[in-house]
């Protein structure tokens, strides 16, 4: 046992000594565009903390009118106040949005559409991870509801405004975890079998498939869409897992900061010339490989139709 502890201590010491070099390697790409956003309107879900907050900060710094759409309005107002002070942009607003509740999503969209005549960038950033099994008020499994169906419905409700404001973009945050995901049409709600790790992976695959199908349906509209893997980031996303919280704390010197994690979202929202890559999946500010399941057009179309049925909407 003493030998094992000694080896572990030596290994961790080595990691921490080499941390700067390792951090530089894993930091990933940086959004290089200098595009300014004066007069542009942006909605970011879950921007009261983490990656979303840093994304909102940078877009506000570039002059955009930014809506922080989040469940916890108090945290949202705190984040907005910090961003306004940091960027000297007073146009950072907070609106209530609970992605686990379709009534809240519809209320947010109704309020936003009454308030704003334009929408240039929608960033579907919010998400949950490793939640114990539960269902939302609408009867949906929580990962499916928040990570996929909520953003699916939100995008549907705001799409008319995006088209009117074209060129416009939709950025969907997914994850490299989609490689372990599968769309289990026979058990989408996890009622027959539930594993919270796989539930997250399934929902992240749904994000990639949604992006793929949305891009196909948006051809010629001036609205483009991109899926994003932000990297392994020090954030609150792992709060439902004690083990991951422990690992995140232990290996925090090697994880991306929230600023670094926001870079690919910013790249897909802002970089010039990305229109031909609509529907693609990005990591470290460049297009990258997706799993074979994420390239299945029949699954993407079926998921689209099933999502519409579950939400009670028609979206051709």
């Amino acid at each position: 046992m003493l030998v094992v502890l000694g080896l572990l201590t030596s290994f961790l010491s080595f990691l921490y000594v080499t941390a700067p070099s390792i951090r530089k390697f894993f930091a990933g790409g940086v959004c290089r565009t200098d595009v300014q956003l004066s007069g542009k309107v942006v909605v970011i879900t879950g921007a009261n903390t983490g990656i979303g907050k840093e994304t909102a900060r940078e877009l506000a710094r570039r002059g955009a009118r930014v809506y922080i759409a989040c469940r916890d309005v108090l945290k949202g107002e705190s984040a907005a106040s910090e961003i306004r002070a940091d960027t000297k942009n007073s146009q950072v607003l907070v609106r209530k949005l609970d992605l686990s509740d379709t009534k809240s999503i519809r209320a947010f969209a109704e309020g936003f559409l009454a308030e704003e005549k334009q929408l240039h960038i929608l960033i579907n950033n919010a998400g949950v991870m490793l939640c114990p099994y539960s269902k939302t008020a609408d009867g949906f499994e929580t990962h499916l509801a928040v990570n996929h169906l909520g953003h699916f419905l939100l995008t549907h409700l705001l799409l008319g405004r995006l088209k009117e404001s074209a060129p416009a973009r939709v950025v969907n945050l997914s994850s490299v975890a989609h490689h372990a995901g599968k769309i289990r049409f026979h058990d989408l709600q996890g009622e027959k079998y539930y594993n919270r790790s796989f539930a997250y992976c399934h929902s992240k695959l749904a994000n990639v498939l949604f992006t793929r199908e949305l891009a196909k349906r948006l051809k010629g509209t001036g609205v483009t869409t991109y899926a994003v893997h932000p990297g392994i980031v020090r954030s609150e996303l792992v709060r439902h897992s004690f083990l991951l919280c422990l690992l995140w704390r232990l290996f925090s010197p090697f994880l991306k900061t929230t600023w670094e994690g926001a870079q690919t979202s910013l790249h897909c929202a802002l970089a010039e010339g990305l229109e031909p890559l609509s529907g693609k999946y990005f990591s470290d500010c460049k297009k990258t490989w997706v799993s074979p399941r994420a390239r299945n057009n029949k699954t993407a179309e079926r998921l689209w139709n099933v999502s519409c049925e579950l939400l009670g909407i028609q979206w051709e």
Side-chain angles (χ1 to χ4, degrees), residues 249-297:
R249 184 177 294 273
L250 184 62
F251 291 99
S252 61
F254 317 107
L255 304 179
K256 283 187 177 183
T257 64
T258 51
W259 182 88
E260 290 164 345
Q263 295 306 301
T264 305
S265 294
L266 291 166
H267 174 78
C268 289
L270 300 173
E272 305 94 331
L274 284 190
E275 288 77 12
L277 298 178
S278 183
K280 302 304 182 183
Y281 171 76
F282 285 74
S283 178
D284 289 333
C285 298
K286 59 183 181 293
K287 183 173 77 73
T288 193
W289 185 77
V290 294
S291 72
R293 287 178 179 138
R295 298 195 299 270
N296 190 312
N297 290 327

Side-chain angles (χ1 to χ4, degrees), residues 3-270:
V3 173
V4 172
L5 288 174
L7 289 173
L8 180 59
T9 301
S10 298
F11 176 66
L12 290 175
S13 297
F14 169 76
L15 285 180
Y16 277 82
V17 168
T18 58
S21 298
I22 297 174
R23 280 281 301 109
K24 186 176 180 180
F25 176 79
F26 284 109
V30 175
C31 177
R32 302 291 183 185
T33 180
D34 58 0
V35 168
Q36 297 301 302
L37 298 174
S38 179
K40 304 297 184 182
V41 180
V42 179
V43 169
I44 312 176
T45 67
N48 58 314
T49 187
I51 297 169
K53 180 179 174 182
E54 290 307 316
T55 304
R57 190 193 309 274
E58 182 57 32
L59 296 176
R61 184 175 285 117
R62 292 169 184 252
R65 181 175 171 90
V66 178
Y67 282 82
I68 294 176
C70 60
R71 185 180 59 175
D72 191 329
V73 175
L74 288 178
K75 281 188 176 180
E77 290 291 356
S78 176
S81 178
E82 178 187 321
I83 292 169
R84 286 192 291 263
D86 185 34
T87 64
K88 305 299 185 287
N89 181 347
S90 62
Q91 298 300 297
V92 181
L93 309 170
V94 180
R95 298 292 181 268
K96 171 81 171 180
L97 172 64
D98 183 349
L99 287 161
S100 69
D101 184 348
T102 57
K103 289 182 180 179
S104 175
I105 298 168
R106 291 181 181 279
F108 168 82
E110 183 180 353
F112 176 83
L113 294 174
E115 191 172 359
E116 289 289 346
K117 300 305 179 187
Q118 291 186 307
L119 175 59
H120 302 93
I121 301 171
L122 170 62
I123 301 181
N124 291 320
N125 165 85
V128 294
M129 181 181 183
L130 301 175
C131 298
Y133 187 78
S134 62
K135 285 190 175 182
T136 67
D138 299 289
F140 305 138
E141 187 277 317
T142 301
H143 291 91
L144 179 72
V146 175
N147 295 351
H148 170 59
L149 291 174
H151 284 128
F152 187 95
L153 177 59
L154 179 65
T155 304
H156 167 69
L157 295 172
L158 299 182
L159 189 58
R161 193 66 89 238
L162 285 160
K163 288 179 178 178
E164 292 168 2
S165 309
R169 294 185 182 184
V170 178
V171 179
N172 297 317
L173 265 73
S174 179
S175 168
V176 69
H178 85 270
H179 285 276
K182 184 178 182 181
I183 305 301
R184 303 168 69 245
F185 288 107
H186 66 287
D187 190 26
L188 275 180
Q189 309 299 341
E191 294 171 324
K192 298 177 181 178
Y193 171 77
Y194 182 77
N195 176 292
R196 58 184 183 170
S197 296
F198 283 118
Y200 175 74
C201 297
H202 302 334
S203 70
K204 294 293 100 178
L205 174 59
N207 296 150
V208 181
L209 290 168
F210 170 46
T211 304
R212 186 179 187 88
E213 185 67 14
L214 181 62
K216 184 178 79 173
R217 293 168 184 255
L218 288 177
K219 283 182 179 177
T221 66
V223 182
T224 53
T225 183
Y226 312 90
V228 166
H229 168 54
I232 310 301
V233 180
R234 296 198 298 271
S235 74
E236 297 178 7
L237 188 61
V238 299
R239 61 188 178 276
H240 291 292
S241 169
F242 173 78
L243 178 59
L244 278 184
C245 284
L246 188 63
L247 289 173
W248 255 232
R249 184 177 294 273
L250 184 62
F251 291 99
S252 61
F254 317 107
L255 304 179
K256 283 187 177 183
T257 64
T258 51
W259 182 88
E260 290 164 345
Q263 295 306 301
T264 305
S265 294
L266 291 166
H267 174 78
C268 289
L270 300 173

